[in-house]
Each structure stands twice: as C-alpha cells, then as structure tokens.
Amino acid sequence: MGDRSRLCSVWLGSETGILKGVSLSRKQAFNFCNMSHLSREQEVRALCWGDPAESELLVGSVDGSVKTFSVEKGSFTETRRCGDPADGCFSGLAVLSGSALVTCVESGTVRVWREDSGEPVTELHAGKNVSRMRQSPVHRHKVGTGGKENGLKIWDLEKPEQPVFTAKNLRDDWLDLRQPYWVRDLAFIPDSDRVVTCSGYHQVHVFDPSTPQRRPVLQLSFGEYPLTALSLAPGGNTVVVGNTHGQVAMLDLRTGLVCGALKGLSGGVRGLQCHPSQPVVASCGLDRFLRIHSLDDRRLQHKVYLKSRLNCLLLASRDPEDKGTVDGICQEVKEEDEEEDEVWDTMERVGDTGEQMKRKSTEEEEGEQQQKKKSKMKRKKGQD
Amino acid sequence: FKSGADQEEVEVKMEKTEAEAAFPPTFSVSEIKNKQRRHLMFMKLKQEKRKQKIQLKKKKKKEREALGDKAPPKEVPKTIENQRVYDETTVDPEDEEVRFDEGTDEFSAYFNGLTNPKVLITTSDRPRGRTVKFCEQLATVIPNAHVYYRRGLALKRIIPQCIARNFTYLMVINEDRKVPNGLVLCHLPDGPTAHFKVSSVRLRKEMKRRGKDPTEHFPEVILNNFSTRLGHSIGRLFAALFPQDPQFVGRQVATFHNQRDFIFFRFHRYIFKNEKKVGIQELGPRFTLKLRSLQKGTFDSKFGEYEWVLKRHEMDACRRKFQL
C-alpha cells in the first residue's frame, strides 16, 4: 500500500468517499479506501496537503470529519471531528504552521483547530453562504472567503474580528440594477497582494487590497455558464477557469482576452489545478475523468477514467511524469545520444561517402520522427 | 494531342490490355474533354468492373463448394456497430465501485422498492394538435401519469409543488411549429435532468397494422444496448418511469433500444403461440430520442452542473465512437 501511494502524483477525492491516487508515469489509478465501509456520508469535499513536504494529505468529508492520510504508509492515520454536518459541507481546508487546521463550512464559520483539543481555538463568521476558502501561499495566516451574495473577504487569522479586506460589489449596471455576484473560487496571485476570483455569473474579477479601491481592479467575462473552478498558471499572468458545461479556458490577466480553450471535458468542472513548475494543468469533474492538458500547446496529455464523480484534486509538486527509476533511464538515454554525436563529430568527412552517410542518418531521423508523429496521432484518435 | 474518337478508344483499349503496366502513363477517363465520349468510356469502365466483380464472386463460390467442410468461415461485413471504438467507461457488472455508485445514487429509492413512480406530463406553453395527442398517448403508455396544461408557468416553480405532491418524474414535451421536438425528463426529489431531442414521432392513427389501445396493465421494460456509464444512468432514468412488478400481468412491453446514440421507443403487445414462437403487435406511439444533456440536480439550465453535454461536432472526429 505504501509503495503504491508513493507512486501517485495526482490525488483526487470522489463523491463515493474514495480517495484516489493516480500515477501518470505508470498510467495507473489506485483507490485508497475500505471497500466494505463505503458510504455517501464520506463524500470527499476538500483536499489539502498536511505539510509542506507533502507527506500527508488531509481529506474533509461531508459528515464533518477530517481524515489524515499518510503517503508513506498508504493508509489513513487519524480522524478528527471538525464540525457538524448540519453546518454544511466543507468549503475549504488549510493547514497553518504548527499543525493547526483551518476549516470552513458552507454556513460561513471558519474555525482553527489544534491537534489536542476538540474545540476550535479561533472561530470567525464570514457571512452566510461561503462557497470557497483558500489560504494565501505567501502569508500562511491569511485566508480568503467568498460565496453567494457574499463578496470576497480576506481575513487574518491572528486578528479574527474584522476582515483585512472586504470587496465592494460592482457598480450598478446601465439600468441602475444591482449586479448579482457569487464567488465560486479564488486564488492568491503569488508575487503581489492581489486576489483573483471567478463568479457564478461567468465573470472573473481581480482585487488589489493594497489600493484603496475596493471594487475589482479588473473584470473579465467568459462564456455563459457559471465558472466553478479557477487556477493560476505558473507564469502569473494567465488563469485557467472551468465552467459547469465542461468548457475550460485560459484567460490572460493583462489583456483580458481568452488565450485558448482546453477541449475534452464533457461534464461540469469541479477541480482544476496547475502544476507549480511544469506547464501542465489537471482537471476533474462530473464526467468521471481526470484529464491532464499541457498549457503550451493545449493538447491533452493524459486521460484517466475513475469510476466515480470527482470533487476535488491535488497535484504533487514533483514532476508528474517521473519516478525515481525512470529518471535513471532518461539519463542513460541522454548520455547515449551525446556519445553518438561525439562519434559523428570526430569522424572525418570523406567527401561523397561522408555526405551520403550524413544524409542517411538525417533520413533515418526524419523517418523515425514521422513514425513517432503517426503513432502520436493514432493515440490521439484512440483517446478522443 | 487527341485526334479522332476511334484512335482514342484504340489507345485506351491497348493500354488496358497491357495489363496495368505502370510505366507508360495511362489516360484516365476524366481527361477526355468531350462529355458524351467521356460518359461512354465511363459506362464501359463500370461495366468492366462489374463483370470482374461477378467473376471473382463466382470463383470464390466455386472454391468454397470445392472445399466443402474445410472452407474458411464467411467473412463478416464491417458495420459501424462492429467497428465501435472500445469505450473505457463501459460498465463491468463485477465492478464494486460502480455497483456502490449505482446503488446509492438518486434512483436508489425506486430500485429498492421504496417509492412508486408518479409522472407529470406537460408541454411547453400553448401546445397544438400533435403535441396534445402525443401527451395523451404517452399518458396511456406510462402508468400513473397525469397530463396537465402548462399555463405559462415557470418550471422552477412547478418543481417544488410536484415534490410536495409526491410526484417522482416531471416530463416536459417541447413543441416547435406544431410538432413535438424536445423532451425534458426530470427525476424529482433531487434527481438528474435529461434533455432529449425528439424526432420521428408517429401517433397511433399513423401506424400500420397496429393493435387496439393499450390497457391499464403495467408494461414490462426492455432496455437494449446501454453499455457505458452514461448509458447506464439514462437506462435507469427510463426504468424508473415504470412501476416494478416481477409478476408480469398483461402482455405489454415498452422497449428503449439504443443504437448509435439514438434511443428508439416502441410499445408492443406480445402473445406466445407456442414455446418458440411469439406474435407481436405494435400499439402506441413510437418516437426516437437523442440525448442532448444530462444535468445533475433538478431542472436548472442556467446554474446547474452538467454531467454530460452533447458537443455538436464530436462525431466528425471519430465516427465510430459513441457515448451511450
């Protein structure tokens, strides 16, 4: 069990309560659960890493319990009760330094729990309906919350009385009607203080707490359906959003235009995450598939069928496609190529014969490349 | 340059009798500029080809008869259904996870025998002739179905009232230009909503050699060819429309047959003449459905989450890949 969980580079939580790990290099998916004790009460709603070294996962379920899963051992190590199911499902889970856990439920209560006590250390109320809570990657004690008719609020957990920043709604539209808003997902832009949110009214807003303007600094629109998931690309200028129809697109935050769409999803997007270093984005949703697209050429790299509807996903920070032993093989191949090049360079040009040999080698390479292209195309046809 | 017709024909014949020598370039029929002559040459070419095909067939048949029992088996012609791309979401009956998923989904109350179906059939606003008759006929086919006139009411407001009155299904038939063309089937407590395109509706009086009107007995349900996970969900959606009764009374059967992502609905009455022979009579309306979207939760086209949406040109990429 432990060795299987160490292979997995993508972790997903499903509606049936099963935690799934997928190893992309091996193209295999593993279920980590107790098959005899499955129930819909255990539906996974929130996933987060337990520690910066990514050796533990925290899984939040509908019945209010947070389970810790150890990647090394491959099993659940402990369970904590963090709230009533009557309050609503988890809309956010985060870890503070010093093994404190921050949970947020849909009724709006954000609680900080310590390991020993069963009661929350800090509790704050973030409004009525909170759809999402996220933690700032730079300042770990800052969290942002947002929900239906509940605008973006940034809280400092050390001073829980007042939010650090409350967003103001957009100006009334040209008919003087109040614009509705519903924050479905948010993300903190790493270099600055800014926050990107996506709304159920197919808009993307960027807020800047450092300016006195509490209204959105930038407003973009995509599609006609509610945007349910959002993720920042590693460059910091593009954001990937997904909506309930399965349309996933990359938007440029500087110009406000759609860079491109990622095709393939046929159901509503529930989870989106860009890899921190590689230009790769993983998406999961109601169509029971995990898809990995590359951000540069927008092609589908991997598609894995996981039999239940997927709620949330987590990417491991390491390279999704490699493992220890595969690394060694790659290095060996590279060394061989270098040796071949050296051989060719040291050989003397013997006039026509030398040119013919070079031509042959290039023809062979072209032939191989064509074959590779053909096989890639065949694979693509088979997949999609 | 091409000079007289005779010379041309001679040239072409000579080249054909040269047994497909590739080196001298053959003139193809399309290079002849004169339409009548081109037509003549093309007809001759086709006749030649047909002759050769018949000769080949005769030869094969002779060889087959000569070999007798040792003849190789007949080749099966390729059809699109034969060549269907294997869908990885095909449901394996042994799979525990899928079984658990299906066992605890929105239809579990029906399949565990806890609820009986009660269907509300309505249309889009101000329906005309064919749609009204279609609704009435559907109500005779589906037991415990009630037809109500849609007085321009919003579906989102009808749904809570239906739930309060214990309805399990809401069926809305959309009409366009006096002909039914869409169907929204919503499973009520909190169940999935399926939107179909309806085509080829034949009412009872338009059907040839049909039997009498259906009786009040509960029909049996046959679901054909719903193999993928999405197909299973839709199949369960249809199955939950009819009450469950393992002791079949009344010899009526409703069939939902899926082929190439189109679902064909037929309603028959059968009688067993002896152990091996059955006689069937088609009664009731017939129509075809094509799934356009499956939405999780009750009808909410703007803010609902879709489990599957039809993408219009997906079939162009691969004609042998189907979803249901």
Side-chain angles (χ1 to χ4, degrees):
Chain A
M1 285 282 274
D3 52 346
R4 288 196 301 172
S5 57
R6 261 173 264 144
L7 290 174
C8 299
S9 45
V10 188
W11 296 91
L12 301 114
S14 66
E15 275 193 6
T16 46
I18 303 177
L19 177 68
K20 292 177 186 273
V22 176
S23 155
L24 293 171
S25 49
R26 286 238 206 132
K27 297 192 197 287
Q28 271 182 321
F30 305 109
N31 283 352
F32 296 100
C33 68
N34 196 343
M35 286 310 281
S36 48
H37 291 306
L38 282 181
S39 84
R40 290 262 160 172
E41 294 291 307
Q42 312 257 339
E43 177 185 335
V44 177
R45 278 290 175 138
L47 272 185
C48 80
W49 289 113
D51 57 341
E54 298 184 354
S55 65
E56 278 190 349
L57 270 171
L58 292 171
V59 176
S61 325
V62 158
D63 59 356
S65 63
V66 175
K67 292 191 270 234
T68 318
F69 179 82
S70 154
V71 174
E72 302 296 315
K73 291 181 213 157
S75 59
F76 289 96
T77 42
E78 58 168 306
T79 315
R80 270 196 271 196
R81 280 224 56 95
C82 297
D84 278 320
D87 277 343
C89 317
F90 284 115
S91 56
L93 205 60
V95 168
L96 281 181
S97 54
S99 75
L101 180 66
V102 186
T103 62
C104 177
V105 283
E106 277 184 0
S107 63
T109 328
V110 178
R111 297 191 178 102
V112 181
W113 307 79
R114 289 229 173 263
E115 270 217 49
D116 30 10
S117 64
E119 286 297 314
V121 172
T122 336
E123 199 171 302
L124 58 88
H125 296 274
K128 264 205 289 187
N129 299 313
V130 172
S131 310
R132 193 71 91 172
M133 175 203 83
R134 285 239 197 262
Q135 186 188 34
S136 163
V138 175
H139 308 284
R140 293 246 136 196
H141 51 97
K142 280 201 177 162
V143 294
T145 58
K148 186 156 194 176
E149 299 305 326
N150 183 354
L152 171 73
K153 294 189 176 79
I154 302 185
W155 303 85
D156 188 344
L157 288 169
E158 289 155 14
K159 300 165 212 160
E161 289 80 43
Q162 283 289 320
V164 171
F165 174 77
T166 322
K168 206 167 173 184
N169 193 7
L170 298 160
R171 288 217 142 88
D172 293 344
D173 62 4
W174 60 289
L175 289 171
D176 279 346
L177 291 171
R178 183 186 166 275
Q179 302 233 35
Y181 59 94
W182 180 4
V183 176
R184 292 294 287 256
D185 202 354
L186 58 116
F188 284 83
I189 299 181
D191 292 332
S192 63
D193 233 348
R194 297 183 295 169
V195 180
V196 187
T197 62
C198 71
S199 85
Y201 296 95
H202 53 85
Q203 283 175 330
V204 175
H205 299 300
V206 177
F207 293 90
D208 198 345
S210 53
T211 59
Q213 183 181 348
R214 281 167 55 207
R215 291 215 161 100
V217 167
L218 180 64
Q219 190 182 337
L220 308 172
S221 189
F222 170 67
E224 314 155 341
Y225 298 100
L227 301 170
T228 47
L230 171 95
S231 175
L232 280 168
N237 283 320
T238 37
V239 69
V240 186
V241 289
N243 69 7
T244 53
H245 254 231
Q247 295 162 348
V248 181
M250 300 192 318
L251 306 173
D252 190 336
L253 287 176
R254 290 173 298 179
T255 56
L257 296 175
V258 179
C259 295
L262 303 174
K263 300 230 165 128
L265 271 118
S266 41
V269 179
R270 281 265 173 104
L272 256 188
Q273 191 178 350
C274 290
H275 195 270
S277 47
Q278 305 264 321
V280 142
V281 61
S283 55
C284 77
L286 292 176
D287 58 350
R288 305 176 168 94
F289 272 95
L290 163 72
R291 285 181 174 85
I292 310 266
H293 291 265
S294 102
L295 282 175
D296 308 328
D297 48 3
R298 303 199 294 270
R299 257 197 280 162
L300 181 69
Q301 286 179 346
H302 298 272
K303 185 165 102 158
V304 185
Y305 177 56
L306 303 158
K307 297 155 197 148
S308 326
R309 287 184 264 217
L310 305 161
N311 261 335
C312 39
L313 71 89
L314 259 191
L315 275 176
S317 298
R318 61 163 193 223
D319 196 359
E321 295 200 26
D322 78 10
K323 234 186 64 183
T325 49
V326 181
D327 252 339
I329 295 171
C330 284
Q331 282 174 8
E332 280 171 30
V333 169
K334 279 183 194 163
E335 284 172 12
E336 278 175 26
D337 282 337
E338 284 170 7
E339 282 173 18
E340 279 179 20
D341 286 336
E342 283 173 14
V343 167
W344 286 118
D345 288 332
T346 51
M347 276 182 72
E348 290 172 14
R349 273 194 169 211
V350 195
D352 286 4
T353 49
E355 280 171 14
Q356 271 181 19
M357 282 173 79
K358 280 205 176 170
R359 247 187 266 144
K360 272 188 195 167
S361 65
T362 47
E363 275 172 9
E364 278 172 11
E365 280 172 17
E366 279 173 16
E368 275 175 17
Q369 277 173 16
Q370 277 173 7
Q371 278 174 14
K372 276 186 199 165
K373 275 184 196 167
K374 277 186 196 164
S375 60
K376 266 191 194 168
M377 276 168 66
K378 276 188 191 163
R379 255 197 294 144
K380 253 190 10 180
K381 272 190 188 170
Q383 274 175 1
D384 281 325
Chain B
F1 299 107
K2 294 173 183 141
S3 43
D6 300 326
Q7 216 179 0
E8 243 179 58
E9 286 177 8
V10 164
E11 277 178 10
V12 172
K13 276 187 191 164
M14 270 174 55
E15 269 144 16
K16 276 193 190 159
T17 51
E18 268 181 37
E20 296 146 16
F23 190 55
T26 49
F27 293 106
S28 74
V29 180
S30 57
E31 282 177 13
I32 304 174
K33 298 299 183 184
N34 186 326
K35 190 166 177 172
Q36 275 189 331
R37 273 185 227 145
R38 190 169 64 233
H39 183 68
L40 269 171
M41 295 311 296
F42 183 65
M43 298 317 272
K44 282 196 192 167
L45 189 75
K46 292 273 275 188
Q47 283 167 7
E48 272 298 314
K49 275 197 183 170
R50 223 178 291 151
K51 246 200 252 174
Q52 283 179 0
K53 196 170 168 184
I54 293 175
Q55 282 172 1
L56 195 67
K57 268 196 189 170
K58 270 196 188 167
K59 209 171 69 164
K60 275 196 179 166
K61 198 170 175 190
K62 267 195 201 165
E63 283 174 14
R64 184 174 209 100
E65 281 169 17
L67 284 178
D69 281 332
K70 290 180 266 177
K74 270 197 172 175
E75 290 161 37
V76 179
K78 291 187 195 174
T79 62
I80 288 193
E81 286 88 4
N82 276 346
Q83 307 294 102
R84 181 176 175 175
V85 165
Y86 173 69
D87 199 334
E88 47 185 345
T89 58
T90 309
V91 173
D92 177 20
E94 310 291 314
D95 198 317
E96 272 187 20
E97 189 179 340
V98 176
R99 238 192 295 169
F100 172 73
D101 199 10
E102 292 199 332
T104 51
D105 68 356
E106 295 101 348
F107 299 107
S108 53
Y110 166 80
F111 282 104
N112 292 334
L114 298 169
T115 52
N116 275 327
K118 190 173 173 195
V119 182
L120 178 74
I121 303 183
T122 182
T123 64
S124 54
D125 203 18
R126 295 186 56 108
R128 293 274 173 257
R130 278 184 74 94
T131 316
V132 170
K133 287 188 194 153
F134 182 52
C135 290
E136 285 167 25
Q137 292 183 5
L138 266 183
T140 55
V141 162
I142 302 174
N144 205 4
H146 307 267
V147 181
Y148 281 86
Y149 179 62
R150 171 101 175 267
R151 298 179 58 199
L153 302 166
L155 281 180
K156 282 204 209 170
R157 293 212 187 147
I158 300 180
I159 285 176
Q161 294 194 16
C162 285
I163 298 178
R165 290 181 183 133
N166 280 329
F167 276 95
T168 54
Y169 265 99
L170 174 67
M171 208 167 173
V172 183
I173 297 182
N174 190 54
E175 182 198 14
D176 182 47
R177 300 182 111 213
K178 304 178 193 166
V179 135
N181 76 343
L183 174 70
V184 172
L185 192 55
C186 182
H187 183 79
L188 272 181
D190 43 322
T193 308
H195 176 37
F196 296 95
K197 172 174 89 153
V198 172
S199 46
S200 250
V201 175
R202 302 279 171 262
L203 300 174
R204 271 193 203 124
K205 62 175 185 176
E206 295 159 7
M207 298 185 50
K208 300 184 177 172
R209 291 181 285 276
R210 70 171 169 99
K212 294 189 196 163
D213 288 338
T215 58
E216 295 291 321
H217 300 114
F218 298 156
E220 304 163 29
V221 182
I222 294 182
L223 298 163
N224 269 342
N225 209 9
F226 288 95
S227 54
T228 65
R229 187 71 185 82
L230 181 68
H232 257 241
S233 312
I234 302 290
R236 284 161 74 84
L237 194 76
F238 288 130
L241 269 174
F242 298 90
Q244 273 182 336
D245 186 14
Q247 318 298 327
F248 298 138
V249 185
R251 296 169 271 110
Q252 295 178 125
V253 58
T255 311
F256 291 90
H257 176 87
N258 170 39
Q259 188 160 341
R260 297 196 194 185
D261 282 354
F262 283 90
I263 301 170
F264 300 92
F265 173 82
R266 301 284 182 269
F267 193 76
H268 294 277
R269 186 211 314 256
Y270 64 88
I271 180 162
F272 277 101
K273 295 179 194 163
N274 55 29
E275 283 266 333
K276 297 196 183 169
K277 273 192 173 182
V278 194
I280 54 173
Q281 248 187 355
E282 186 162 5
L283 351 155
R286 66 155 80 151
F287 52 92
T288 57
L289 298 169
K290 184 161 189 194
L291 182 68
R292 283 176 67 177
S293 66
L294 179 64
Q295 185 208 325
K296 185 173 184 233
T298 55
F299 181 76
D300 188 348
S301 57
K302 266 208 277 182
F303 301 110
E305 281 189 311
Y306 286 85
E307 246 193 73
W308 185 82
V309 170
L310 174 74
K311 299 215 170 83
R312 282 182 68 204
H313 296 288
E314 210 176 351
M315 221 27 142
D316 296 356
C318 178
R319 286 188 166 245
R320 291 157 299 151
K321 192 165 163 85
F322 301 107
Q323 316 286 336
L324 282 186

